[in-house]
């Protein structure tokens, strides 16, 4: 039996980064908002406390805070001709669950896209000719320009108290910041974090090569900071337990630190945790979502919550699933190229990391923040000439450890055995004298990479799993090979005692090793309802009272970590709702 | 089990010291026996389980033969030397036993619906077995193989043959029948490293031996006041565990 509840103004599905932002903005605008979160209620003050939060085994290895695959997982195949099998244990990526979502246990690297990323297809066509873009590379422009989004990037950065250094202040290029970034209206809210010897060594080397280093833009506050919500962050203590952990010093921006204390004290907001959303009730004729159905996992009771406005902020996989379960939009068909739900699923491609070893340097990798180190952007996006290279895109490159937690982080020179006497010698010898140089490459959309429903495997609620048909493609391999060569060049310029420069191996995407939780696409932004799921305001073409927020709207994935853009787009959508939609509910774009 | 006559736990408790030293390829009188700590080891071995005088920990998941296997395996993977006591002396076998008895060992956070098909390696683990069931199957299959190959259970092999046996598993050269040797070895290696390097509250890494070996300070990990001062300088602090703050 399903209990039908009285109608509310807004239901927000998922109370992570995007759900919290939308709920906050809409309650501020006077609406009554219910937040439905599948996981438990967690608060930093009660759940992320020393000493227990420093438990490497529990949080980093046994995955305490992540989606429970016993409830729900995804299946994977590399091509349409194969049978997808379930990802039985999370590995490559780690979606969050519980209040705050993955925003509770992210690292905090906080980027804006390049202005050219915003108009990718147009830009590449203009510079290299439209025919240079391969047919099966289904990249598009964002229908929102960098200039339009700039105030919202700024807003999210202020919410998070991002520490960094501007490289382009209102058009003025500033040495020591990221000189490739688009113009920003203001300096970062906080100065950069302290650097490690690894960052300093990298900085000297890349300068000698003529590149442009800058400190990582970091949502780990370099000093005590009060954000526009009136909420105060502590200063980062460089504890080296950031990604995969909650932050006990409130120095890492998160929904729990940066928004929820304000939101939860507003009685126009009602939070329901353990509320697992199953589907949306869609009125196809009226082109509206009427209600949201969920099960309370504490009682097993089913509920239907009617609402005038529905926000999906439930991360890439659920955002796609709920459309597919509810018959909203046309599922993408890779054979005909028709349909759009599930289209342009993207991820990121790691280059082969280079490790440098210095007999005479003390790295102290355990003194680190999550978004640490020095970076360069010289080989990202279209910041370098791709003429004749045979690929598009690139990577941001970084050095400076983010932790020295020894279960997962023990660099040893190539050729060291994995166990026994010699393994131990090398491990003890190099632990404090080595660090990585890494690059995270973009992943441009490909016609054959997409999401749909698995025909065989089901979740604990009896619904089909989401199925990823996904593999790295030629462009990805070439970017990674190119970036790997750059990493090697930088590593050698540091004159290390030893260097591991593994050749990039062209392998299949693997679900096993962690790469990043930067999944994107499937409910993409666009200007044409046939080619996209949401319009430029993140409003669904097929239901004007449905807004979909999160990286599921990215038309393709850049090299950058997504959350800066995700947060900016969330504020942008909130503004469209409060300033336009609330005045006259209906489609904000007429296609 | 192969007609063993000496009860394994007695065997371990009684002559474990010599056995461990042999496994490590060092003489029984070496510093590994914890009598004379090496200079860089001032406290790593102090109070580290001198096997002869520590009562065996009660077993939660493993039987005695399985436990003996795990002790032999972790002592081969992490031999005693001047850097640290052996894996089992550091409690890694206890750690593994407890992990296999934990919710994780019982398959928590693991999708377990069929059909169970053999996938491509990149699709990840695809067996119906929980970690606990998988380890027990792997131990049994390895012992079957060492009996066929060397005439004895794994834990009864001399150090050189243990090393050879684990190498054969690692390289996928041992035929373990229904169990994949490589897959079992990788699981064994991973859980051994987890036990050696995790906080001691889980039963391994006794006396923070591995943290002392690395120079990892453990907790409470508050470096705002020292990150600048210790840039490129050795930071030596006696490590502390979660238990030291609880
Ligand atoms: C280990 C890790 C490190 C990361 N580091 C970085 C970084 O350094 N920089 C960066 O930019 N990004 C990083 N990310 C990514 C970042 O966390 C996400 O981009 C961000 O949290 C996305 O916000 P979101 O609101 O879309 O999803 P989330 O914050 O995850 O929130 C989604 C919420 O929806 C809930 N939900 C899902 N399905 C349902 C359902 N059926 N019913 C009810 N609720 C549901 C989830 O439980 C979750 O709470 C990292 C992620 C991880 C896991």
């Amino acid at each position: 039996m399903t209990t039908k509840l009285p109608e509310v103004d807004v239901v927000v599905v998922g109370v992570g980064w995007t759900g919290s932002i939308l709920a906050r903005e809409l309650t501020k605008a006077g609406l009554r908002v219910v937040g439905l979160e599948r996981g438990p209620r967690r608060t930093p003050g009660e759940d992320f406390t020393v000493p227990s939060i420093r438990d490497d085994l529990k949080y980093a290895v046994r995955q305490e805070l992540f989606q429970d695959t016993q409830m729900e997982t995804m299946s994977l195949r590399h091509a349409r001709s194969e049978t997808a099998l379930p990802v039985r244990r999370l590995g490559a990526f780690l979606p969050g669950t519980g209040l705050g979502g993955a925003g509770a246990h992210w690292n905090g690297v906080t980027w804006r896209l390049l202005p050219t990323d915003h108009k990718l297809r147009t830009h590449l066509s203009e510079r290299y000719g439209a025919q240079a873009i391969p047919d099966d590379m289904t990249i598009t422009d964002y229908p929102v320009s960098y200039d339009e989004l700039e105030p919202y990037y700024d807003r999210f950065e202020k919410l998070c108290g991002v520490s960094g250094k501007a490289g382009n202040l209102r058009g003025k290029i500033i040495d020591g910041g990221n000189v490739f970034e688009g113009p920003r209206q203001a300096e970062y809210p906080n100065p950069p974090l302290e650097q490690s010897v690894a960052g300093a060594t990298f900085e000297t080397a890349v300068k000698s090569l003529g590149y442009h280093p800058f400190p990582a833009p970091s949502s780990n506050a370099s000093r005590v900071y009060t954000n526009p919500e009136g909420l105060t962050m502590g200063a980062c203590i460089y504890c080296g337990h950031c990604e995969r952990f909650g932050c006990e010093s409130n120095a890492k921006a998160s929904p729990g630190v940066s928004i929820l204390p304000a939101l939860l004290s507003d009685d126009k907001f009602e939070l329901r945790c353990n509320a697992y959303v199953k589907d949306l009730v869609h009125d196809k004729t009226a082109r509206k979502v009427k209600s949201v159905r969920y099960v309370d996992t504490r009682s097993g009771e089913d509920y239907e919550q009617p609402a005038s406005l529905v926000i999906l902020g439930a991360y890439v996989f659920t955002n796609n699933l709920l459309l597919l379960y509810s018959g909203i939009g046309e599922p993408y068909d890779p054979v005909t190229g028709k349909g759009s739900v599930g289209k342009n699923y993207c991820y990121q491609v790691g280059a082969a990391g280079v490790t440098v070893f210095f007999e005479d340097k003390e790295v102290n990798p355990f003194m680190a923040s999550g978004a640490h180190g020095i970076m360069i952007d010289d080989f990202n996006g279209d910041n370098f000439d791709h003429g004749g290279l045979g690929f598009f895109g690139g990577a941001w490159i970084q050095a400076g450890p983010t932790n020295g937690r020894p279960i997962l982080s023990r660099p040893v020179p190539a050729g060291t055995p994995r166990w026994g006497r010699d393994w131990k010698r090398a491990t003890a010898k190099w632990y404090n004298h080595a660090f990585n140089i890494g690059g995270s490459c973009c992943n441009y959309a490909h016609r054959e990479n997409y999401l749909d429903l698995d025909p065989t495997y089901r979740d604990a609620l009896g619904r089909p799993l989401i199925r990823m048909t996904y593999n790295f493609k030629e462009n990805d391999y070439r970017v990674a090979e190119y970036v790997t060569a750059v990493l090697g060049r930088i590593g050698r310029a540091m004159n290390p005692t030893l260097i591991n420069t593994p050749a990039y191996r062209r392998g299949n995407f693997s679900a096993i090793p962690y790469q990043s939780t930067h999944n994107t696409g499937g409910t993409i932004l666009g200007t044409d309802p046939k080619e996209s799921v949401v319009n430029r305001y993140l409003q669904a073409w097929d239901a004007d009272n449905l807004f979909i927020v999160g990286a599921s709207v990215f038309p393709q994935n850049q090299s950058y970590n997504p959350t800066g853009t995700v947060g900016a787009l969330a504020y942008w959508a909130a503004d469209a709702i409060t300033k336009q939609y609330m005045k006259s509910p209906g489609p904000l774009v007429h296609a | 089990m192969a007609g063993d006559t000496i009860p394994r736990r007695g065997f371990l408790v009684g002559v474990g010291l010599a056995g461990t030293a042999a496994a490590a390829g060092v003489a029984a009188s070496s510093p590994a026996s914890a009598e004379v700590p090496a200079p860089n080891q001032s406290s790593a071995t102090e109070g580290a389980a001198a096997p002869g005088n520590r009562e065996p920990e009660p077993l939660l998941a493993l039987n005695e033969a399985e436990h003996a296997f795990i002790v032999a395996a972790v002592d081969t993977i992490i031999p005693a030397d001047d850097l640290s006591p052996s894996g089992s002396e550091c409690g890694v076998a206890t750690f593994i036993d407890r992990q296999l008895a934990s919710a994780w060992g019982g398959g928590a956070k693991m999708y377990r619906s069929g059909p169970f098909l053999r996938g491509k390696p990149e699709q990840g683990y695809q067996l119906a077995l929980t970690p606990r069931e998988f380890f027990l199957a792997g131990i049994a299959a390895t012992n079957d193989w060492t009996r066929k190959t060397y005439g004895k259970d794994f834990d009864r092999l001399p150090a050189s043959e243990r090393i050879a046996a684990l190498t054969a598993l690692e390289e996928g050269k041992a035929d373990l029948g229904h169990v994949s040797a490589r897959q079992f070895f990788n699981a064994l290696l991973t859980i051994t490293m987890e036990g050696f390097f995790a906080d001691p509250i889980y039963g391994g890494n006794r006396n923070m031996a591995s943290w002392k070996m690395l120079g990892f300070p453990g907790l409470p990990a508050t470096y705002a006041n020292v990150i600048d001062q210790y840039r490129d300088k050795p930071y030596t602090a006696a490590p502390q565990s979660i238990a030291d703050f609880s």
Side-chain angles (χ1 to χ4, degrees):
Chain A
M1 231 231 1
T2 301
T3 307
K4 195 157 181 175
L5 300 166
E7 171 153 347
V8 295
D9 296 331
V10 187
V11 168
V12 173
V13 181
V15 189
W17 259 133
T18 56
S20 302
I21 291 174
L22 267 292
R24 178 67 178 146
E25 294 305 299
L26 298 181
T27 46
K28 279 202 273 189
L31 300 177
R32 294 189 54 82
V33 180
V34 166
L36 301 176
E37 167 53 50
R38 69 178 170 188
R41 181 178 176 127
R42 282 193 209 97
T43 58
E46 285 165 32
D47 298 297
F48 304 150
T49 57
V50 165
S52 315
I53 193 62
R54 299 282 162 72
D55 187 338
D56 196 14
L57 186 73
K58 175 176 169 180
Y59 290 101
V61 182
R62 299 283 181 256
Q63 312 189 337
E64 175 72 9
L65 300 176
F66 314 142
Q67 171 171 318
D68 183 355
T69 54
Q70 250 173 19
M71 284 299 289
E72 182 182 346
T73 187
M74 59 293 296
S75 65
L76 165 70
R77 58 179 184 174
H78 291 121
R80 276 191 283 129
S81 56
E82 299 175 359
T83 303
L85 296 184
V87 174
R88 295 186 181 276
R89 262 197 203 294
L90 295 178
F93 42 81
L94 304 167
T97 194
L99 187 58
H105 51 75
W106 69 319
N107 243 349
V109 186
T110 311
W111 294 104
R112 300 172 168 206
L113 301 188
L114 298 166
T116 49
D117 287 333
H118 276 265
K119 45 170 190 170
L120 186 64
R121 180 169 280 274
T122 304
H123 169 80
L124 294 179
S125 306
E126 282 169 6
R127 187 164 177 189
Y128 304 102
Q131 72 292 344
I133 302 172
D135 283 345
D136 49 13
M137 189 187 272
T138 48
I139 53 174
T140 67
D141 293 358
Y142 282 71
V144 187
S145 71
Y146 175 83
D147 291 341
E148 285 175 306
L149 205 58
E150 200 285 331
Y152 302 91
Y153 281 126
D154 182 70
R155 218 161 142 192
F156 186 67
E157 288 164 0
K158 292 197 163 114
L159 180 83
C160 293
V162 180
S163 304
K165 181 159 170 46
N168 182 342
L169 255 186
R170 295 180 291 273
K172 185 166 173 268
I173 302 300
I174 298 167
D175 210 34
N178 181 6
V179 296
F180 296 99
E181 70 180 354
R184 49 174 67 242
Q185 59 175 280
E187 186 42 280
Y188 283 99
N190 287 304
L193 291 158
E194 291 284 349
Q195 286 309 325
S196 66
V197 71
T201 308
F202 175 80
E203 184 167 358
T204 310
V206 295
K207 272 190 184 153
S208 77
L209 293 168
Y211 311 149
H212 302 85
F214 58 93
S218 164
S219 285
N220 314 136
S222 58
R223 60 183 177 193
V224 176
Y225 171 77
T226 301
N227 76 7
E229 292 287 357
L231 299 171
T232 298
M233 299 171 75
C236 179
I237 57 171
Y238 304 90
C239 74
H241 293 69
C242 198
E243 174 170 76
R244 307 184 183 203
F245 299 79
C247 177
E248 102 286 349
S249 54
N250 290 351
K252 174 166 70 176
S254 68
V257 169
S258 316
I259 305 183
L260 288 171
L263 179 63
L264 293 170
S265 66
D266 184 336
D267 56 18
K268 286 196 286 311
F269 180 68
E270 186 194 336
L271 173 67
R272 296 184 201 148
C273 286
N274 299 95
Y276 219 113
V277 173
K278 298 163 90 167
D279 62 4
L280 314 177
V281 180
H282 183 217
D283 182 336
K284 275 202 160 59
T285 341
R287 301 175 84 85
K288 299 264 183 209
V289 171
K290 295 194 328 201
S291 56
V292 175
R293 291 195 286 218
Y294 69 95
V295 58
D296 186 317
T297 52
R298 297 165 301 187
S299 63
E301 296 285 329
D302 283 319
Y303 293 92
E304 179 170 349
Q305 176 63 68
S308 337
L309 183 63
V310 174
I311 310 291
L312 282 189
Y315 199 60
V316 176
F317 298 112
T318 301
N319 286 358
N320 276 277
L321 273 175
L322 292 180
L323 298 191
L324 293 167
Y325 291 150
S326 317
I328 301 174
E330 193 188 335
Y332 172 67
D333 178 349
V335 180
T336 60
K338 292 216 174 75
S340 50
V341 182
K343 182 177 163 177
N344 282 17
Y345 170 75
C346 295
Y347 188 48
Q348 269 165 353
V349 188
V354 164
T355 311
V356 280
F357 300 81
F358 295 89
E359 226 140 27
D360 57 346
K361 283 196 203 302
E362 303 286 341
V363 175
N364 298 334
F366 39 82
M367 297 182 188
S369 73
H372 212 181
I374 300 288
M375 300 175 156
I376 57 166
D377 226 11
D378 299 68
F379 298 95
N380 202 355
D382 200 36
N383 293 343
F384 57 111
D385 186 2
H386 287 76
L389 289 180
F391 66 87
F392 290 124
W396 56 266
I397 291 170
Q398 179 265 7
T402 60
N403 74 85
R405 299 190 315 271
I407 300 180
L408 298 176
S409 175
R410 290 173 268 113
V412 286
T416 303
R418 295 198 294 161
W419 50 283
R421 195 170 168 276
D422 293 342
W423 160 79
K424 207 206 272 185
R425 295 228 157 291
T427 302
K429 173 166 183 185
W430 292 110
Y431 171 77
N432 209 41
H433 305 282
F435 60 89
N436 276 296
I437 316 168
S440 167
C441 306
C442 69
N443 185 209
Y444 287 164
H446 190 279
R447 186 189 169 100
E448 294 284 344
N449 285 338
Y450 68 104
L451 301 172
D452 67 354
L453 295 179
D454 191 278
T456 308
Y457 292 96
R458 296 189 168 256
D459 71 11
L461 305 179
R463 311 170 304 177
L465 298 188
I466 196 149
R467 174 171 67 177
M468 302 172 34
T469 303
Y470 180 76
N471 209 353
F472 302 134
K473 305 293 184 188
E474 187 59 27
N475 192 73
D476 305 316
Y477 294 130
R478 291 187 185 175
V479 175
E481 279 161 359
Y482 184 86
V483 170
T484 297
V486 175
L487 298 181
R489 200 182 310 150
I490 296 171
R492 285 186 296 275
M494 293 182 189
N495 287 316
T497 317
L498 290 170
I499 179 168
N500 288 357
T501 43
Y504 180 76
R505 253 188 56 249
R506 292 181 161 228
N508 291 322
F509 164 69
S510 170
I512 304 170
Y514 186 71
Q515 289 142 74
S516 79
T517 311
H518 302 165
N519 318 80
T520 68
T523 74
I524 64 175
L525 283 158
T527 49
D528 178 350
K530 288 206 239 13
E531 303 278 340
S532 57
V533 174
V534 296
N535 65 27
R536 70 194 301 258
Y537 299 110
L538 283 66
Q539 180 183 38
W541 292 113
D542 287 270
D544 67 59
N545 67 338
L546 176 67
F547 288 75
I548 304 173
V549 271
S552 62
V553 306
F554 289 12
Q556 58 270 335
N557 207 2
Q558 304 70 220
S559 140
Y560 298 122
N561 311 45
T563 312
T565 310
V566 164
L569 286 170
Y571 277 117
W572 159 263
D575 252 21
I577 295 169
T578 55
K579 296 190 178 140
Q580 301 180 55
Y581 184 82
M582 277 169 65
K583 289 187 186 131
S584 79
L588 298 177
V589 176
H590 292 277
Chain B
M1 270 283 184
D4 291 334
T5 47
I6 315 167
R8 275 193 165 85
R9 304 214 90 188
F11 170 78
L12 278 172
V13 172
V15 293
L17 184 54
T20 317
V26 295
S29 62
S30 86
S33 64
E35 287 164 3
V36 191
N40 60 340
Q41 261 329 102
S42 50
S43 51
T45 48
E46 152 209 78
N53 56 28
R54 178 178 270 269
E55 289 298 320
E57 299 281 355
L59 296 176
L60 304 180
L62 300 168
N63 69 25
E64 302 221 337
E66 291 156 351
H67 179 255
F69 176 98
I70 291 292
V71 168
V74 301
D75 288 350
T76 311
I77 293 172
I78 303 171
D81 57 17
D82 57 332
L83 292 169
S84 85
S86 76
S88 69
E89 287 166 343
C90 292
V92 175
T94 302
F95 170 92
I96 293 175
D97 176 58
R98 291 182 189 169
Q99 284 297 304
L100 296 181
S102 74
W104 173 83
K109 291 209 149 190
M110 182 169 149
Y111 181 79
R112 289 188 69 212
S113 300
F116 294 94
L117 303 176
R118 188 186 266 279
K120 294 160 90 173
E122 300 91 350
Q123 286 170 311
Y125 186 78
Q126 290 297 335
L127 302 177
L129 303 179
T130 63
R132 178 173 172 171
E133 292 164 342
F134 176 78
F135 272 94
L136 301 192
I139 292 169
T142 305
N143 273 336
D144 281 348
W145 177 77
T146 58
R147 278 197 295 273
K148 252 184 267 156
T149 312
Y150 302 101
K152 284 182 189 146
D153 281 4
F154 176 75
D155 64 287
R156 302 288 165 105
L157 301 178
S160 60
E161 283 178 359
R162 287 183 190 175
I163 292 174
L166 285 191
T167 306
L169 258 59
E170 181 179 25
E171 292 172 355
K173 289 186 181 144
D175 179 3
L176 301 193
H178 294 288
V179 174
S180 152
R182 271 213 177 96
Q183 191 180 18
F184 177 57
F185 178 83
N186 284 333
L188 188 61
L189 182 65
T190 301
I191 200 169
T192 300
M193 293 303 165
E194 288 167 359
F196 190 48
F197 291 107
D199 193 285
I201 56 174
Y202 292 99
N205 194 12
R206 278 185 196 144
N207 300 305
M208 294 165 276
S210 74
W211 292 358
K212 288 171 183 162
M213 168 181 109
L214 297 178
F216 175 65
L219 301 175
T222 300
Y223 303 117
N225 298 327
V226 295
I227 182 165
D228 194 31
Q229 184 187 343
Y230 284 93
R231 185 169 303 114
D232 205 10
K233 299 205 181 80
Y235 178 78
T236 38
Q240 287 180 293
S241 144
I242 288 172
D244 295 321
F245 291 85
S246 302

